[in-house]
Amino acid sequence: MNFYRMRAEEVVQVTNTNVSSGLTDEEVKKRRATFGANELKESVKTSKLVLFLNQFNDFMVFVLLGATIISIFLKEVVDAVAIMAIVLINGILGYFQEAKAERSLEALKELAAPQVNVLRDGQFVKLPSKDLVVGDIIKFSSGDRIGADIRIIEASSLYIEESALTGESVPVQKRFESIQTDDIGIGDQDNMGFMGTLVTRGNGKGVVVSTGMKTAMGQIANLLQNTETIVTPLQRRLEQLGKILIILALFLTALVVFIGVYQGNELYHMFLAGVSLAVAAIPEGLPAIVTVALSLGVQRMIKKKAIVRKLQAVETLGCASVICSDKTGTMTENKMTVTNIWSGGSSYEVSGNGYAIDGEFTNKERTINPTLNKQLFQTLVFGSICSDAQLIRKKKEIVLDGDPTEGAIVVAGYKAGIDREYVNSNFTRIHELPFDSTRKMMSVVVKNRSGEQFVITKGAPDVLLSKCNAILWHEREEQLNTFRQNSVESTIETYANNALRTIAIAFKPLNPNSIIDERDLESNLTFIGLQGMIDPPRAEVAQAVQECKEAGIRTVMITGDHKLTASSIARKLGILRDNGRVVEGKELDALSIEQIQEFVEDAAVFARVSPEHKLKIVKALQANGHIVAMTGDGVNDAPAIKAADIGISMGITGTDVAKEASALVLLDDNFATIKSAIKEGRNIYSNIRKFIRYLLASNVGEILVMLFAMLLALPLPLVPVQILWVNLVTDGLPAMALGVDSAEDDVMKRSPRSLSEGIFARGLGWKIISRGFLIGFVTLLAFIISYNQHPNQLEYAQTVAFSTLVLAQLIHVFDCRSERSIFHRNVFGNLYLIGAVIVSMLLMLVVIYYPPLQPIFKTIPIVPRDWFLIGGLSSIPTFMLAGALFTKKK
């Protein structure tokens, strides 16, 4: 139903309400029972039990559970208990991290819940917006957030900022008259108020016409129901790794059984040996270590003002190749700021962003004192007088009470020392003509301390210029001739081309004894100056965009704002280059995703776009092979946020729907925080590769030492419980320490990883096999030497092999810190790793020398002289290859 076409009386009649008394409590209950609460539907909340069980829905975990069942079947109780313990620890870690993120999000939602003044039983009461029903009469004023979709029935200088819904930061003036145009967009329905939008100036009343999912925001949120969540690259790679390992484990088991039976051994013993190899092939601690590494990354991100809702999200950011970002509030301050002033033939630049009252005035790069420039100072004073906005200091922050455009003018005055106290002590307002959309002007009549009386008018430059017959030109009042008018118009055009919103200011003296005639106030004015303003880019965003570019990541601006404004901001931030393309939403209407794919690679800015357009752009980029990060704060961003590989919402200005759709919430709403997250993500993935390299090289060594021993018809050098101890305890601690390793210097100089890149890319597979082969070789060699020296002490030889394996791995872990060699990074650069290695060595000694553990782990104390053999052999895998590589590079 097009309520904007109805007269106010018709809306009241259709909604069956009463403007004087509102609805009764009984009627409210009936309507709420029929239509439900005024809330946007959220995704079904996952119960705590399901959230916990979901932690085990992983291919690698299934493999470990299978190994547990086999261990129980073979009566290897120690193995079964150890595997189940690590699986349970992994699940608990993942559960608590995701539960913590959801609690943080709930706290943010509580802060964002708006309150409304609603008429019930003849009295206005303050209630949560979720209690609103169709037909409720609500009133609102500056600073209030609209709680539902309403038809405005009263409006006094009413402006509403709708950026959360449309993406435009400039407030829209509202009225109560009906509109007879058919099929107009939300941005043109200026007698309607929409859920989640903010009143910036004036006051009004309205009738609730839609609630919950029937609102404009609710209809956009419906797009989320049909948008699938993307599986992250890390999830795909770990699943791939798990499949490779299980296939390898089955193959080795079958091979060992076949060889053993062929050699005349019993089937049962060979099956047990095969299971030992399977245990060696599977890195049981990997799921837990991945979870720990991601969780620690999440904790670091919280310190950097970001809440990670999904553990995998941080890693996905690390391989993003395109960031699609909203403009308003994310890249810009979302605070109108005066940047340029023209007065009497001279131009001035004003520094400072947002509502900060510090700033300088410059003319041709020369700093000037505005108090010593009479005409500039007068322009600033008159602008401040003819504005109703006020700056309020809350704790350490300055906030605006009023219209953002007037706020910008007032802030410019503050920078020249013209604060509210100065205005009130020097001028008295006598009369006011409020701004309206017909006149496009606002005027005030004031009297100064000398008793002089005059009118000050501000408004649209083209309109105000037509009301002037004189101009202050270099501090002298002159006739507004063609030359001077052309100078003003040229400045207006220049400001417009730079996406500045321009406000003109004029005045004229009045006779103190005359009666004020409103019809004559805004005529025969003297033009004094122009103030050009814009929602400026955040100071740190340009640097963040540049660093992302150096990292091979393209930034694309997607906004509902005008093309000119978006292009100007994009140029300042370095997003739009000379050959960059700017595309308007209407160009996308008739195109399919396949057609958009053809030009989306060249586009730097998409302006005047709808939620459907944003979704198309994200999908087109994904179809071209990009990993896409999508940022935004409004409901209009939510479908694209959910569809992106990594969705990012704003914690301060973000709507609940956007937060629910996202994987990452920025607490400071700052684009620059994304850059920090990308660096963190890349380092996390690099660390995951480090400990996968370490764990798998260790496991390859275990596999080969067992396999070679069987091929040579030797006794098993290691028993299953020793292998399990190495995999879960000895390997686990250093691997976790690798998970917190610092980033290498060039981490943000590398190109994003390809979507098709496997986990073993860039030589990782060769490093795993070569180091693993050497670790297996020296372990088998240590076993053979010791077994030959002590042929009647198999357990002693196994203990020597066990010690050699552990020590070789602990030395090898330092080589894993670098993509190059152990000599490339400071050995003491990761103190956690030093500590983990020391603890692992102590644990190894405890297993060997502590009598109660010796029968469990089948160990015998090693005599001191054999430690020289163990130490020498253990150092070969790392230093032989690393030394050769280092010599080759030199």
Side-chain angles (χ1 to χ4, degrees):
M1 190 175 292
N2 292 332
F3 289 101
Y4 65 83
R5 298 195 65 191
M6 298 181 184
R7 290 181 291 107
E9 297 81 5
E10 293 178 287
V11 176
V12 171
Q13 185 177 359
V14 168
T15 55
N16 192 23
T17 188
N18 188 303
V19 177
S20 302
S21 60
L23 299 175
T24 63
D25 288 340
E26 184 178 349
E27 182 62 29
V28 168
K29 290 178 182 177
K30 289 180 182 178
R31 298 190 184 195
R32 187 174 296 120
T34 303
F35 302 107
N38 178 37
E39 294 177 314
L40 298 179
K41 287 183 181 177
E42 301 176 3
S43 54
V44 178
K45 287 290 181 185
T46 305
S47 69
K48 293 181 179 180
L49 177 61
V50 173
L51 185 64
F52 179 67
L53 293 177
N54 281 343
Q55 307 306 315
F56 305 98
N57 186 20
D58 181 87
F59 187 82
M60 186 75 75
V61 173
F62 293 154
V63 171
L64 295 178
L65 291 176
T68 304
I69 294 171
I70 294 173
S71 298
I72 293 173
F73 178 75
L74 296 175
K75 298 182 180 180
E76 298 291 336
V77 179
V78 175
D79 294 9
V81 171
I83 296 173
M84 284 302 298
I86 203 68
V87 168
L88 190 62
I89 291 170
N90 177 64
I92 292 171
L93 285 170
Y95 168 77
F96 278 111
Q97 180 54 50
E98 290 197 20
K100 181 178 179 180
E102 288 302 320
R103 286 195 298 272
S104 300
L105 190 67
E106 289 297 325
L108 286 174
K109 287 176 64 178
E110 287 298 320
L111 290 174
Q115 299 278 316
V116 291
N117 284 307
V118 57
L119 184 62
R120 296 278 175 83
D121 289 321
Q123 291 186 339
F124 277 100
V125 292
K126 203 160 193 175
L127 297 173
S129 63
K130 68 178 182 179
D131 292 340
L132 290 176
V133 297
V134 172
D136 266 329
I137 306 296
I138 65 172
K139 67 177 181 179
F140 38 84
S141 57
S142 178
D144 290 339
R145 197 168 288 278
I146 305 296
D149 283 5
I150 62 170
R151 169 64 164 85
I152 296 168
I153 58 175
E154 290 183 20
S156 175
S157 299
L158 179 63
Y159 286 78
I160 298 180
E161 191 247 300
E162 299 175 339
S163 62
L165 190 61
T166 66
E168 291 200 44
S169 57
V170 177
V172 178
Q173 185 179 16
K174 297 293 183 177
R175 57 193 176 99
F176 63 85
E177 294 86 1
S178 61
I179 303 171
Q180 296 307 312
T181 308
D182 286 328
D183 298 325
I184 59 175
I186 286 175
D188 297 317
Q189 295 178 20
D190 56 15
N191 59 6
M192 297 287 294
F194 301 100
M195 174 188 276
T197 58
L198 182 68
V199 179
T200 61
R201 177 181 173 186
N203 56 73
K205 287 184 182 179
V207 181
V208 175
V209 294
S210 298
T211 59
M213 296 302 288
K214 295 292 183 66
T215 62
M217 282 196 173
Q219 291 170 21
I220 295 174
N222 276 326
L223 287 173
L224 295 171
Q225 308 300 323
N226 301 316
T227 303
E228 296 181 359
T229 303
I230 299 295
V231 177
T232 71
L234 180 62
Q235 288 171 318
R236 288 193 290 267
R237 291 186 180 102
L238 290 180
E239 185 174 353
Q240 173 195 29
L241 176 61
K243 291 177 180 177
I244 292 172
L245 292 175
I246 191 61
I247 291 171
L248 178 63
L250 292 173
F251 172 76
L252 289 173
T253 301
L255 180 65
V256 167
V257 171
F258 175 79
I259 293 173
V261 172
Y262 180 79
Q263 291 176 343
N265 295 304
E266 292 183 14
L267 178 63
Y268 175 80
H269 288 106
M270 285 302 97
F271 185 65
L272 182 60
V275 171
S276 299
L277 266 184
V279 170
I282 300 171
E284 289 84 355
L286 182 58
I289 296 169
V290 169
T291 303
V292 168
L294 291 173
S295 297
L296 292 172
V298 165
Q299 298 307 313
R300 290 192 292 270
M301 285 308 306
I302 289 174
K303 294 177 181 178
K304 295 176 181 177
K305 305 295 184 183
I307 291 178
V308 178
R309 298 186 62 226
K310 303 293 181 184
L311 278 181
Q312 312 290 349
V314 177
E315 184 276 335
T316 311
L317 262 177
C319 56
S321 56
V322 176
I323 301 175
C324 296
S325 178
D326 187 30
K327 175 183 70 67
T328 305
T330 309
M331 292 186 163
T332 66
E333 297 273 359
N334 200 17
K335 299 173 182 176
M336 295 297 288
T337 305
V338 172
T339 58
N340 295 79
I341 295 176
W342 182 95
S343 184
S346 298
S347 296
Y348 307 91
E349 289 77 44
V350 188
S351 65
N353 283 349
Y355 302 141
I357 58 176
D358 299 321
E360 292 184 340
F361 295 81
T362 57
N363 174 250
K364 297 178 181 179
E365 300 183 357
R366 181 174 58 88
T367 302
I368 63 170
N369 184 344
T371 60
L372 303 178
N373 187 311
K374 182 178 179 182
Q375 187 160 339
L376 172 61
F377 190 73
Q378 193 172 359
T379 303
L380 292 165
V381 169
F382 282 3
S384 298
I385 293 172
C386 194
S387 297
D388 293 323
Q390 295 187 52
L391 299 181
I392 300 172
R393 187 177 293 277
K394 289 186 176 180
K395 296 181 180 178
K396 296 182 179 180
E397 184 183 12
I398 296 176
V399 297
L400 174 68
D401 179 17
D403 177 74
T405 299
E406 291 195 343
I409 294 172
V410 169
V411 170
Y414 268 75
K415 292 174 182 177
I418 307 163
D419 55 18
R420 182 57 52 183
E421 183 179 351
Y422 176 89
V423 172
N424 291 339
S425 62
N426 287 280
F427 301 92
T428 303
R429 186 180 293 193
I430 300 171
H431 188 72
E432 177 182 349
L433 284 175
F435 182 92
D436 67 49
S437 56
T438 303
R439 290 169 33 252
K440 295 185 178 179
M441 292 183 294
M442 169 189 178
S443 296
V444 294
V445 178
V446 297
K447 181 168 63 175
N448 63 17
R449 297 175 69 178
S450 302
E452 296 173 316
Q453 192 167 297
F454 43 92
V455 60
I456 302 171
T457 303
K458 80 172 193 304
D462 55 337
V463 176
L464 193 59
L465 197 58
S466 66
K467 301 288 184 180
C468 297
N469 59 8
I471 184 171
L472 277 186
W473 192 263
H474 299 300
E475 301 185 8
R476 294 179 57 184
E477 186 170 327
E478 304 282 356
Q479 182 183 0
L480 185 59
N481 57 23
T482 303
F483 168 76
R484 297 184 183 109
Q485 183 162 333
N486 287 342
S487 179
V488 175
E489 290 174 346
S490 175
T491 303
I492 294 170
E493 184 178 356
T494 300
Y495 284 3
N497 290 336
N498 285 289
L500 297 180
R501 184 177 186 189
T502 307
I503 299 296
I505 300 169
F507 77 105
K508 72 174 179 182
L510 296 177
N511 186 338
N513 299 319
S514 63
I515 298 173
I516 296 174
D517 184 356
E518 291 187 355
R519 294 171 299 179
D520 187 49
L521 278 181
E522 297 174 336
S523 62
N524 298 319
L525 300 170
T526 299
F527 194 90
I528 187 171
L530 301 165
Q531 293 198 32
M533 62 194 70
I534 196 170
D535 178 12
R538 290 177 180 263
E540 63 278 12
V541 170
Q543 179 64 26
V545 169
Q546 178 60 29
E547 289 184 26
C548 286
K549 183 181 178 183
E550 292 173 357
I553 304 165
R554 185 161 63 100
T555 304
V556 177
M557 180 185 289
I558 304 180
T559 178
D561 215 336
H562 293 281
K563 180 177 181 178
L564 196 62
T565 305
S567 300
S568 176
I569 295 294
R571 283 194 183 90
K572 291 179 180 179
L573 293 174
I575 296 171
L576 181 62
R577 304 296 181 181
D578 293 338
N579 59 345
R581 185 173 181 180
V582 181
V583 180
E584 287 194 278
K586 61 185 178 182
E587 299 178 49
L588 305 176
D589 286 329
L591 301 179
S592 65
I593 290 176
E594 291 75 17
Q595 291 171 313
I596 296 174
Q597 282 178 245
E598 295 178 8
F599 66 83
V600 74
E601 295 297 325
D602 299 324
V605 177
F606 291 90
R608 303 301 281 172
V609 293
S610 68
E612 291 82 1
H613 296 148
K614 294 182 180 184
L615 204 53
K616 278 186 175 182
I617 294 164
V618 168
K619 289 185 175 180
L621 286 166
Q622 289 173 330
N624 284 348
H626 289 290
I627 299 293
V628 181
M630 174 70 194
T631 76
D633 55 2
V635 173
N636 58 330
D637 300 316
I641 286 174
K642 186 176 181 182
D645 297 275
I646 173 72
I648 308 167
S649 65
M650 305 298 118
I652 299 173
T653 61
T655 59
D656 292 348
V657 174
K659 292 171 188 172
E660 287 290 340
S662 66
L664 188 72
V665 181
L666 303 184
L667 294 179
D668 57 359
D669 288 15
N670 197 336
F671 180 89
T673 303
I674 301 172
K675 182 261 300 180
S676 299
I678 288 173
K679 183 176 181 180
E680 188 65 52
R682 289 191 173 190
N683 188 42
I684 283 177
Y685 184 72
S686 176
N687 288 346
I688 288 174
R689 275 174 54 94
K690 289 175 187 177
F691 59 66
I692 285 178
R693 171 184 168 183
Y694 171 62
L695 291 176
L696 294 190
S698 301
N699 286 26
V700 166
E702 295 161 17
I703 292 168
L704 293 180
V705 71
M706 301 287 281
L707 185 59
F708 289 159
M710 291 175 188
L711 290 174
L712 295 173
L714 294 171
L716 293 179
L718 301 166
V719 296
V721 70
Q722 290 173 346
I723 295 173
L724 199 62
W725 173 266
V726 172
N727 285 358
L728 298 183
V729 181
T730 309
D731 287 352
L733 290 175
M736 286 185 183
L738 284 176
V740 296
D741 204 10
S742 59
E744 294 190 62
D745 295 337
D746 63 345
V747 69
M748 284 300 283
K749 304 293 183 183
R750 306 169 188 166
S751 298
R753 300 188 308 276
S754 169
L755 186 61
S756 59
E757 178 181 296
I759 199 79
F760 301 112
R762 289 177 276 143
L764 185 63
W766 163 248
K767 290 173 183 174
I768 289 171
I769 293 171
S770 60
R771 272 61 165 187
F773 176 84
L774 288 175
I775 289 172
F777 174 76
V778 298
T779 301
L780 183 62
L781 186 59
F783 173 75
I784 292 172
I785 293 172
S786 182
Y787 191 52
N788 286 335
Q789 292 175 348
H790 309 279
N792 297 321
Q793 290 184 295
L794 175 61
E795 284 192 359
Y796 185 83
Q798 288 174 331
T799 305
V800 170
F802 169 68
S803 303
T804 305
L805 177 69
V806 171
L807 198 57
Q809 292 177 359
L810 294 180
I811 295 172
H812 171 61
V813 73
F814 292 99
D815 191 31
C816 295
R817 291 190 63 223
S818 172
E819 293 276 349
R820 303 175 193 179
S821 77
I822 192 173
F823 302 110
H824 186 68
R825 301 194 74 182
N826 181 2
V827 174
F828 299 99
N830 185 341
L831 295 180
Y832 294 105
L833 183 59
I834 299 290
V837 167
I838 292 172
V839 170
S840 295
M841 291 181 67
L842 291 175
L843 290 172
M844 176 187 69
L845 295 175
V846 168
V847 167
I848 294 172
Y849 291 103
Y850 185 54
L853 294 179
Q854 290 170 353
I856 297 175
F857 291 96
K858 310 293 189 294
T859 56
I860 292 178
I862 297 174
V863 297
R865 70 172 182 275
D866 282 340
W867 280 110
F868 291 100
L869 172 69
I870 293 168
L873 290 175
S874 298
S875 62
I876 290 174
T878 296
F879 290 103
M880 186 176 82
L881 288 179
L885 180 64
F886 186 71
T887 303
K888 183 179 178 182
K889 283 186 176 290
K890 290 184 69 176

